[in-house]
């Protein structure tokens, strides 16, 4: 099968592209050198026989867990052998080893070790960090409980200090307080950093982190007082042993509380930490990764759906002619190309947040946290905005592949179930949108009281000036040019400003009617989410537009300009109500927008395959029979199916057990 | 005991749950008989689905076969008959988690497409399960577009046989249920060739496996197509044929026949067959789409009344998440949609029963309308049903992703409905074709079918609403929907005509308008759904608060549709920007009103805990306890951890390099 020639349709598509995909790949990676290094790392993994295994689709959950553990163990060793230490490169290596899936050591590497680094005292570093670094200790991070997730203050686990023995007594006092969901907790870890309400001298001091041994270092059996296990099957995440943890009067020494900031002294005296803003930093970082994940997951789905749509022929457009590629149907283009544009947009947004975070990280270390609140607010919203859209986009790609998209061989079900939890973890999306809204309302209030605001919300500064204009809003001269991304950006600004203002006014109206701020906020929250959504949409258009001028190759810039226009115009055509209601666009312009969207579909069509090739996913990483680079879909579907577990024997055992006896009896 | 949070919700109900259940079932008597059947099935451990979330594909398949076999036994014991209401209830409570479903389709296609002689020969064999049937239409390379099928059946006059072949890889049959491992026979659709001439796609009865040892027949390659997003219990299969011969008598020949000398004869009308295909689309809606949506609403709403998160007011207990406006805005429109679809399903069934009687009387006039309706509503209901289930899943936070919530399985199953029985986009474009035809006819003053007469009432105007309560008046919002649907249909028709007049070939003009046409078809179906909801509410008994709560749900369904598509309503100025603010205000008010009855409204669907199979959605609301106990039964906790000895231990003890 490896020697098969490329499918003729795909060959034609690639020959017809107006630009070189390789150059666009460099833009996405951030330079030719980085593309080279990424491929080098992928080759290290792909060519390593230790990382090969049977198709995961045919394995049971236990088998998938076992494979993941095997690969993770080897991965840690090989990373060190090869001296790969750059966090980006480690992340890449890990993604190639696990082909985009989570793995049981994720929490050890991503949370346990970093938390020790940032919150442990030097003495604790000696005691825990080096053994953990050498994997004598495998840890996880146990925060979420069965009854509490996003709302941290509600956590119920307790750690009560006993000065007599200088120990903390850990308890899970209710069913809802059982730690639930932490990755790697179920079967893998022997330690956990547990978040619990600290009680000392009879007073609750709020949430603090404790290092808790949970399994015996030799036998791996749970320690007395610890009940630990796997939470059972989920929607995806088969590799991950998300676990539960129940503690009954489990004692740990006083020195196991992470005490770099807050402390409990031997007599039980509590010493407060200096600042709590620092935790923002980690959250910004992790959420920026989710924006990047949204881009990658959607790019993979688009690659599969667009290549397959170029290979699949169906029905007829014109009677008597051969069946056309389904990519030639306008409805198919309308499903896929806006998603393709979105994937690119999110890629640039993800890069922007990561770069901005890096830039201000230095300031943070110097104690300057001034830029952090805005970035924090923006990242919360963009995490929600991008993951929601990518989530539904992946599903649209799958459905655009018809029945075969539903087969696991398409890879699309797997991309979906792996990605979709990101709408919930690291902050539930609606809650995230409301955090951004809080910042927007605060900025709006500042503007209303005569102050100026800066950064991404600076468009709010224009609002008071607009209100001085005497004419009715709808009568304002309309100057939006629908072929100019910069002009469209103005329309997005106006929409965001209008929705922020509307939410702020409704909030005020509720405040005038009701007693509490909290009720008013709740009664306005649908408006607030809409405002955040419009703000994030504006930011995305802005960052996409800004990227265009950075692209040096003219052919690449031309095709990216088409995509950027499609992204902006499609967004308008999907939200015409907002633009019409605010009088930003007229009916005639909406008509033009809709028309232009369809023209752009036809303009992008010849470059569609090249645009997904530019994402540069290897077949190995894509894991899809429908999305194969060579387009030999049907032959390989058949080969794949033959390996299915149900086909292990020619006659399935249930024939002898059930069907045959039935035929005999009836 | 029942969680006090849920008990409190139930005490506050503004209507009688039991009466609403009876109304949904059709009568109190039907509720009683349904419950009796459900009890008979659920009390039998063979039918328990509790372990399904822990099972592999092989185990799921075997359990489904076992259930199918036991069910046949049970049906005989109980004396139920094939198409009785009892069987419908059984399928409702088994949630379709059973094998040999295609066997019924196999029998139905023989009954509809076969001659009397063929029926006499095959149906008794199938009824006694001497043979197990499947239905092989879809191929690897072709689905919705039947004319493109590539399997061939060439008549050999010398032996009086057809020679069946799948001449290339894309011609292989792919997807048919029960075919991978179970079926002995199948109805194969193939291009018929006689003396070198192609007569199009025809059905043939074909034996694929030995009746003795179940091994594949000579020339037949058959197997399972591998794991899918769901339907692990079903052995969807592939089938390759190499010069497989079947006797001439195996071509199903109610409407046409190949005579011994190779003469091809066609008689009768195939329109009735066309009707059958159309009605299948409607028949899947209730069990495969509307019930899952109702279940998802039940799980998410009950859980939202039990789950507490953050505080709405300082110093108070943490609030139920159902009290958050954003949570209401996610879930309550789905609840309204579930009711709207339940009622539209009744409407469609009535329409089809009437149509069937007319067709029996050889009057085929209503066929195009029925076809357009079945296509459009299949697309609308499956699409909204699917997104509704997903919204419910994501509204349950982290626990929604646990299989034990029941939601992932509901979701992965319902999404298949967007593709099977006709891909939704293709179906909507068929509806659009009908609408354009009717619109053109109406413009020319010709008669059009009753369901679309609104197309001839196109009058520009402005909505008369002045206050937010005006939008609680069905006349007001129905008119807005009507205007919007007419506008989308008429503008598509105008665009199409314009393109054709400017010299664009018809087929190309159609392709250039498909995005608009699809939208127009959706708008039409949405309008009819709202209209039918309004009419249903008007006919409801004004007893025990039922009509009142249904009116609220109807208003919510209608206003949510406007709120979510403001651009389409604003576009031609029928609604103004100020109107949209009124709609929004009214819509948000309704959320708070319906919130109070949310739990009783899902209780009225009357699902047993066993059929919900969800730790989050159980009637007593003891969510956390159930989740904890159920998780402990997971194989990952019941079996040893081989990965520890093999990999973790060497890793922990730094002896990995010795591996």
């Amino acid at each position: 099968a490896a020697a098969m020639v490329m499918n003729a349709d795909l060959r034609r598509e690639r020959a017809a592209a107006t630009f070189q995909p390789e150059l666009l790949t460099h833009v996405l990676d951030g330079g030719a050198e980085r593309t080279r290094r990424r491929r080098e790392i992928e080759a290290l993994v792909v060519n390593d026989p230790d990382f090969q295994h049977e198709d995961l689709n045919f394995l049971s959950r236990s088998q998938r867990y076992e494979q993941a553990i095997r690969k993770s163990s080897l991965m840690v060793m090989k990373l060190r052998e090869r001296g790969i230490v750059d966090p980006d490169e480690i992340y890449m290596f890990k993604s190639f080893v696990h082909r985009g899936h989570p793995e049981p050591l994720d929490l050890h590497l991503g949370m346990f070790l970093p938390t020790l680094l940032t919150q442990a005292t030097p003495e604790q570093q000696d005691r825990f960090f080096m053994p953990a670094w050498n994997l004598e200790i495998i840890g996880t991070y146990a925060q979420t409980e069965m009854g509490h997730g996003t709302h941290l203050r509600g956590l119920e686990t307790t750690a009560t200090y006993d000065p007599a023995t200088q120990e903390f007594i850990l308890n899970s006092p209710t069913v809802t307080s059982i730690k639930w969901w932490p990755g790697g907790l179920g079967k893998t870890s022997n330690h956990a950093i547990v978040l619990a309400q600290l009680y000392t001298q009879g007073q609750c001091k709020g949430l603090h982190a404790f290092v808790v041994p949970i399994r015996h270092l030799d036998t791996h059996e749970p320690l007395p007082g610890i009940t630990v296990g796997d939470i059972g099957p989920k929607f995806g995440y088969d590799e991950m042993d998300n676990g539960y943890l129940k503690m009954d009067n489990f004692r740990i020494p006083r020195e196991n509380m992470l005490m770099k900031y807050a402390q409990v002294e031997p007599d039980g005296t509590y010493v407060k930490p200096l600042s709590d803003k620092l935790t923002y930093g980690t959250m910004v970082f992790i959420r920026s990764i989710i924006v990047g994940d949204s881009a990658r997951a959607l790019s993979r789905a688009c690659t599969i759906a667009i290549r397959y749509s170029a290979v699949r022929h169906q029905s007829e457009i014109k009677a008597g002619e051969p069946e056309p590629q389904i990519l030639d149907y306008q409805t198919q283009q309308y499903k896929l190309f806006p998603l393709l544009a979105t994937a690119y947009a999110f890629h640039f947004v993800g890069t922007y947040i990561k770069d901005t975070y890096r830039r201000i990280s230095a300031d943070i270390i110097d104690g300057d946290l001034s830029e952090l609140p805005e970035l924090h607010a923006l990242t919360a919203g963009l995490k929600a905005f991008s993951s929601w859209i990518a989530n539904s986009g992946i599903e649209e790609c799958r459905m655009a592949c018809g029945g075969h998209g539903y087969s696991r061989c398409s890879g699309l079900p797997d991309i979906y179930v792996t990605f979709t939890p990101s709408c919930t973890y690291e902050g539930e999306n609606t809650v995230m949108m409301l955090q951004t809204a809080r910042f927007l309302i605060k900025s709006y209030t500042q503007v209303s009281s005569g102050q100026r605001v800066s950064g991404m919300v600076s468009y709010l500064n224009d609002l008071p000036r607009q209100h001085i204009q005497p004419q009715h809003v709808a009568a304002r001269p309309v100057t939006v040019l629908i072929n100019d991304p910069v002009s469209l950006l103005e329309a997005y600004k106006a929409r965001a400003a209008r929705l922020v203002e509307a939410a702020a006014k409704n909030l005020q109206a509720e405040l005038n009617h009701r007693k509490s701020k909290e009720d008013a906020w709740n009664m306005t929250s649908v408006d607030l989410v809409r405002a955040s959504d419009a703000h994030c949409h504006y930011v995305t258009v802005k960052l996409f537009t800004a990227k265009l001028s950075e692209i040096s190759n003219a052919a690449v810039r031309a095709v990216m300009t088409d995509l950027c226009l499609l992204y902006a115009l499609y967004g308008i055509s999907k939200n015409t109500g907002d633009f019409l209601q605010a009088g930003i666009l007229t009916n005639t312009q909406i008509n033009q927008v809709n028309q232009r969207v369809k023209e752009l579909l036809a303009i992008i069509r010849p470059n569609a395959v090249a645009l997904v090739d530019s994402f540069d996913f290897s077949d190995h990483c894509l894991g899809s029979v429908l999305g194969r680079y060579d387009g030999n879909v049907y032959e390989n579907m058949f080969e794949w199916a033959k390996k299915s577990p149900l086909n292990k024997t020619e006659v399935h055992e249930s024939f002898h057990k059930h069907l045959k006896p039935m035929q005999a009896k009836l | 005991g029942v969680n006090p949070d849920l008990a409190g919700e139930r005490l506050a109900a503004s209507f009688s749950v039991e009466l609403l259940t009876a109304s949904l079932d059709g009568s109190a008597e039907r509720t009683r008989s349904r419950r009796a059947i459900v009890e008979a099935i659920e009390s039998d451990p063979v039918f328990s689905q509790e372990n399904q979330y822990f099972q592999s594909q092989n185990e799921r398949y075997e359990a489904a076969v076992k259930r199918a076999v036991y069910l046949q036994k049970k049906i005989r014991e109980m004396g139920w008959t094939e198409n009785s209401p009892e069987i419908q209830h059984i399928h409702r409570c088994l949630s379709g988690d059973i094998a040999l479903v295609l066997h019924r389709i196999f029998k139905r296609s023989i009954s509809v497409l076969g001659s009397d002689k063929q029926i006499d020969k095959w149906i008794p064999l199938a009824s006694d399960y001497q043979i197990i049937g499947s239905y092989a239409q879809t191929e690897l390379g072709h689905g919705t577009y039947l004319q493109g099928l590539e399997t061939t059946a060439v008549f050999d006059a010398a032996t009086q046989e057809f020679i069946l072949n799948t001449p290339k890889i894309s011609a292989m049959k792919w997807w048919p249920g029960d075919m991978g491992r179970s079926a002995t026979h199948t109805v194969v659709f193939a291009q018929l060739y006689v003396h070198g001439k192609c007569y199009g796609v025809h059905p043939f009865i074909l034996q694929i496996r030995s009746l003795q040892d179940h091994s594949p027949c000579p020339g037949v390659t058959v197997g399972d197509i591998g794991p899918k997003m769901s339907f692990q219990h079903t052995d969807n299969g592939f089938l390759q044929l190499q010069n497989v011969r079947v006797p001439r008598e195996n071509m199903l020949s109610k409407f046409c026949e190949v005579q011994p000398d190779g003469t091809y004869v066609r008689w009768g009308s195939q329109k009735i067959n066309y009707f059958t295909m159309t009605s299948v689309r409607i028949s899947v809606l209730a069990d495969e789409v509307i019930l899952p949506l109702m279940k998802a609403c039940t799980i998410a709403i009950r859980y939202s009344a039990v789950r507490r998160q953050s505080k709405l007011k300082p110093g108070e207990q943490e609030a139920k998440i159902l009290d958050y406006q954003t949570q209401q805005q996610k879930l309550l429109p789905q609840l309204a949609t579930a009711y709207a679809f339940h009622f539209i399903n009744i409407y469609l069934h009535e329409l089809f029963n009437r149509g069937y009687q007319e067709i029996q009387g050889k009057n085929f006039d209503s066929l195009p309308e029925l076809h357009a309706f079945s296509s459009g509503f299949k697309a609308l209901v499956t699409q909204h049903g699917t997104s509704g289930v997903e919204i419910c899943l994501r509204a349950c936070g982290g626990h929604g992703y646990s299989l034990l919530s029941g939601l992932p399985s509901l979701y992965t199953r319902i999404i298949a409905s967007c593709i099977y029985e006709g891909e939704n986009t293709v179906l909507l474009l068929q509806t659009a074709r009908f609408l354009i035809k009717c619109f053109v006819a109406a413009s020319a003053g010709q008669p059009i079918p009753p369901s679309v007469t609104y197309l001839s009432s196109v009058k520009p105007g402005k909505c008369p609403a002045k206050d937010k309560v005006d939008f609680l008046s069905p006349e007001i919002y129905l008119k807005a929907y009507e205007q919007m649907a007419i506008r989308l249909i008429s503008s598509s028709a105008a665009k199409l005509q314009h393109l054709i007049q400017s010299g664009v070939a018809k087929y190309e003009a159609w392709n250039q308008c498909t995005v608009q046409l699809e939208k127009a078809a959706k708008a039409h179906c949405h309008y009819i759904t709202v209209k039918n909801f309004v009419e249903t509410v008007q006919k409801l008994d004004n007893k025990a608060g039922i009509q009142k709560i249904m009116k609220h749900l109807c208003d919510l369904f209608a206003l949510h549709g406007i709120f979510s598509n403001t651009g389409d309503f604003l576009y031609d100025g029928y609604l103004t920007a100020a109107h949209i603010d009124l709609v929004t205000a009214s819509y948000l008010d309704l959320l708070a009103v319906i919130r109070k009855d949310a739990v009783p409204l899902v209780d009225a669907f009357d699902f047993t805990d066993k059929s919900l199979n969800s730790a989050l959605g159980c009637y007593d609301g003891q969510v956390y306890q159930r989740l904890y106990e159920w998780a402990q039964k997971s194989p990952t906790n019941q079996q040893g951890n081989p990965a520890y000895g093999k990999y973790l231990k060497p890793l922990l003890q730094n002896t990995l390099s010795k591996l």
Side-chain angles (χ1 to χ4, degrees), chain B residues 31-51:
Chain B
T31 300
R32 257 195 306 281
S33 69
R34 174 175 58 74
R35 285 178 182 160
I37 302 272
V38 169
E39 171 62 25
I41 294 291
E42 287 185 348
S43 61
D44 190 333
V46 174
F47 296 111
S48 165
Q49 294 169 52
E50 194 192 335
N51 284 324

Side-chain angles (χ1 to χ4, degrees), chain A residues 29-39 88 92 358:
Chain A
D29 280 322
E33 169 54 25
R34 290 172 69 168
T35 301
R36 189 198 62 74
R37 179 61 178 155
R38 176 176 53 76
R39 288 180 183 154
D88 277 354
M92 256 184 233
R358 289 229 169 107

Side-chain angles (χ1 to χ4, degrees), chain A residues 566-602:
Chain A
L566 178 67
Y567 180 75
L569 291 169
Y570 179 81
I572 294 175
S573 79
K574 280 279 139 185
N575 297 282
T576 51
D578 292 346
F579 292 92
L580 284 170
Q581 200 186 359
I584 301 162
L585 294 172
T586 63
N587 280 354
T588 318
Q589 286 178 313
I590 295 290
N591 253 345
Q592 289 166 353
V593 167
N594 289 337
Q595 188 52 35
R596 189 68 190 139
V597 165
K598 287 185 275 183
E599 287 164 16
L600 281 166
L601 297 179

Side-chain angles (χ1 to χ4, degrees), chain A residues 135-182:
Chain A
L135 290 161
E136 286 149 24
I137 286 178
I138 297 177
T140 179
Y141 189 82
Q143 176 177 297
T144 302
E145 295 173 0
M146 191 153 13
H148 288 92
T150 305
H151 182 63
L152 289 186
R153 275 166 295 165
L155 295 179
E156 296 175 275
T157 302
T158 58
T160 308
Y161 184 62
D162 176 1
T165 61
Q166 304 219 2
E167 288 171 323
F168 290 103
I169 310 163
L170 288 155
N171 269 299
S172 316
T174 59
V175 177
T176 47
S177 74
I178 296 172
K179 295 291 177 188
W180 199 267
W181 281 112

Side-chain angles (χ1 to χ4, degrees), chain A residues 57-58 61 66 69-70 73 77 134-136 138 146-151 175-176 180-181 187 190 218-220 227 229-231 233-235 244 246 312 314-318 323 328 330-331 334-335 388 391 395 398-399 402-404 406 408 413 416 420-421 424 428 430 518-519 522-526 576-577 581 587 591 595 598 634 637-638 640-641 644-647 649-655 657-660 662-663 666, chain B residues 53-54 58 61-62 66 69 76 128-130 132 140-143 145 172 174-175 181 211-214 216 223-231 238 240 307 309-310 312-314 318 323-326 329-330 390 394 397-399 401 403 408 411-412 415-416 418-419 423 425 495 507 511-512 514-516 563 566-567 570-571 577 580-581 624-625 627-628 631-632 634 636-637 641-644 646-649 651-652 654 656:
Chain A
N57 288 301
F58 301 139
R61 207 188 138 217
E66 196 177 319
I69 280 283
R70 183 181 71 81
S73 312
M77 225 169 58
N134 292 327
L135 290 161
E136 286 149 24
I138 297 177
M146 191 153 13
H148 288 92
T150 305
H151 182 63
V175 177
T176 47
W180 199 267
W181 281 112
K187 298 278 132 182
N190 54 25
D218 288 328
T219 64
H220 211 59
T227 311
D230 174 83
I231 64 162
K234 296 141 300 190
F235 201 23
Y244 58 77
K246 188 168 174 291
R312 177 85 170 177
Q314 193 75 13
S315 200
E316 52 185 19
I317 292 180
K318 186 177 182 183
E323 295 180 62
D328 284 332
Q330 190 189 54
T331 43
Y334 191 67
K335 285 175 196 171
W388 263 336
N391 185 66
E395 280 295 77
R398 188 185 56 69
M399 284 194 267
H404 295 332
Y406 199 72
R408 299 258 283 267
Y416 177 72
T420 189
T424 305
E428 197 277 327
T430 302
E518 292 77 11
D519 270 340
N522 188 29
M523 295 310 290
T524 319
S525 51
V526 168
T576 51
Q581 200 186 359
N587 280 354
N591 253 345
Q595 188 52 35
K598 287 185 275 183
Y634 297 131
M637 274 181 84
F638 189 34
W640 180 86
S644 162
L646 249 70
N647 292 332
T649 55
E650 185 62 78
V651 175
H652 196 270
E653 58 177 345
S654 62
F655 170 73
K657 272 160 94 173
H658 305 294
L659 292 176
K660 186 99 185 152
M662 168 175 74
Q663 289 170 333
L666 286 174
Chain B
Y53 303 132
F54 302 138
N58 264 317
Y61 165 67
E62 187 179 327
K66 184 175 174 188
V69 169
R76 271 151 220 252
D128 286 347
Y129 286 89
Q130 295 303 306
I132 295 167
L140 196 43
H142 286 90
Y145 180 67
M172 199 184 330
W174 197 271
W175 281 111
R181 304 275 80 184
L211 292 179
Q212 267 65 53
D213 63 7
H214 215 59
D224 173 79
I225 64 162
K228 298 139 293 188
M229 203 163 180
S230 180
F231 287 89
F238 60 75
Q240 246 183 350
R307 176 81 173 182
Q309 190 77 30
S310 300
L312 271 172
K313 285 178 200 157
E318 289 183 61
D323 285 325
Y324 289 90
Q325 191 188 48
T326 44
Q329 133 95 350
K330 287 174 195 172
E390 206 208 353
R394 279 195 275 137
H399 295 328
Y401 294 100
L403 291 195
Y411 178 66
T412 51
I415 45 174
C418 294
I419 307 289
E423 195 275 328
T425 301
K495 176 79 190 297
Y507 66 88
N511 191 30
Q512 283 185 27
T514 43
V515 166
Q516 266 168 287
F563 176 80
T566 51
L570 281 166
Y571 181 86
I580 296 298
D581 286 338
Y624 298 117
Q625 195 62 39
L627 204 50
Y628 185 44
Q632 286 167 322
S634 167
T636 42
N637 295 322
N641 179 4
Y644 174 69
K646 277 200 243 173
Y647 306 111
L648 284 177
K649 199 172 156 97
L651 177 72
L652 290 163
N654 275 318
L656 197 65

Side-chain angles (χ1 to χ4, degrees), chain B residues 148-377:
Chain B
L149 295 180
E150 296 174 289
T151 303
T152 57
V154 177
F155 182 61
D156 178 359
T159 60
Q160 295 287 302
E161 289 170 323
F162 293 104
I163 309 163
L164 293 169
N165 271 295
T166 47
K168 51 191 209 184
I169 195 121
S170 57
M172 199 184 330
K173 295 294 173 188
W174 197 271
W175 281 111
D178 297 329
M179 194 173 77
R181 304 275 80 184
S182 306
T184 61
H185 286 66
T186 189
V187 172
V188 173
F189 285 76
Q191 303 283 359
L192 167 65
Y193 285 86
V194 184
H195 300 322
K197 188 179 167 196
C198 180
Y199 289 89
V201 175
H202 286 71
F204 302 83
I205 297 180
L206 168 70
Q207 181 173 350
I208 54 175
R209 286 194 173 88
S210 152
L211 292 179
Q212 267 65 53
D213 63 7
H214 215 59
S215 61
C217 296
V220 170
T221 309
V222 63
D224 173 79
I225 64 162
K228 298 139 293 188
M229 203 163 180
S230 180
F231 287 89
Q232 287 92 334
H233 66 282
T234 304
D235 53 325
N236 296 84
F238 60 75
L239 177 69
Q240 246 183 350
L241 303 173
Q242 271 183 309
N243 293 319
V244 179
R245 288 172 172 263
V246 296
R248 190 179 63 88
E249 294 77 19
N250 278 26
M251 180 173 122
L252 289 174
S253 51
K254 182 163 192 168
F255 302 108
C256 48
E257 194 182 59
V258 175
Q259 293 179 340
D261 65 350
T263 311
Y264 179 83
V265 198
R266 169 177 285 283
W267 54 75
S269 166
Q270 261 189 313
K271 278 185 177 166
I272 182 89
N273 171 35
Y274 190 49
F275 177 80
T276 314
M277 281 176 23
T278 303
S279 64
V280 170
R281 276 184 196 137
I282 295 304
S283 68
V284 299
L285 294 183
D287 282 356
E288 291 293 331
V289 186
I290 301 170
L291 280 184
L293 177 60
M294 289 172 167
K295 283 184 184 174
C297 287
T298 306
I299 295 167
I301 286 177
R302 284 183 183 161
Y303 176 62
S304 297
V306 168
R307 176 81 173 182
R308 288 176 177 272
Q309 190 77 30
S310 300
K311 294 177 182 179
L312 271 172
K313 285 178 200 157
E316 283 194 356
Q317 197 188 1
E318 289 183 61
K320 293 177 177 181
I321 57 174
L322 193 54
D323 285 325
Y324 289 90
Q325 191 188 48
T326 44
Q327 186 77 352
Q328 294 164 11
Q329 133 95 350
K330 287 174 195 172
L331 296 179
L332 301 183
Q334 313 317 319
L335 178 63
T337 303
Y339 276 93
F341 286 172
H342 175 81
F343 296 132
I344 200 72
N345 186 47
I346 295 173
Y347 168 83
L348 291 169
H349 277 274
E350 284 168 1
L351 199 72
F352 270 78
N353 288 340
R354 266 205 310 280
Y356 186 68
Q357 275 154 22
E358 284 175 27
I359 286 164
Q360 295 290 324
K362 302 273 174 228
N363 173 1
F364 296 108
D365 292 350
S366 60
L367 260 181
E369 188 187 6
L370 292 177
H371 180 67
F373 264 78
S374 72
S375 307
F377 280 102

Side-chain angles (χ1 to χ4, degrees), chain B residues 617-638:
Chain B
C618 39
Y619 185 84
D620 66 9
Q622 301 296 354
V623 167
Y624 298 117
Q625 195 62 39
R626 235 169 261 257
L627 204 50
Y628 185 44
E629 283 165 14
W630 205 351
Q632 286 167 322
K633 295 182 192 162
S634 167
T636 42
N637 295 322
Q638 294 295 316

Side-chain angles (χ1 to χ4, degrees), chain A residues 338-358:
Chain A
L339 293 173
L340 178 62
T342 306
Y344 275 96
F346 287 172
H347 188 90
F348 300 134
V349 175
T351 310
Y352 166 84
I353 299 180
K354 211 159 97 181
D355 292 348
T356 312
Y357 174 71
R358 289 229 169 107

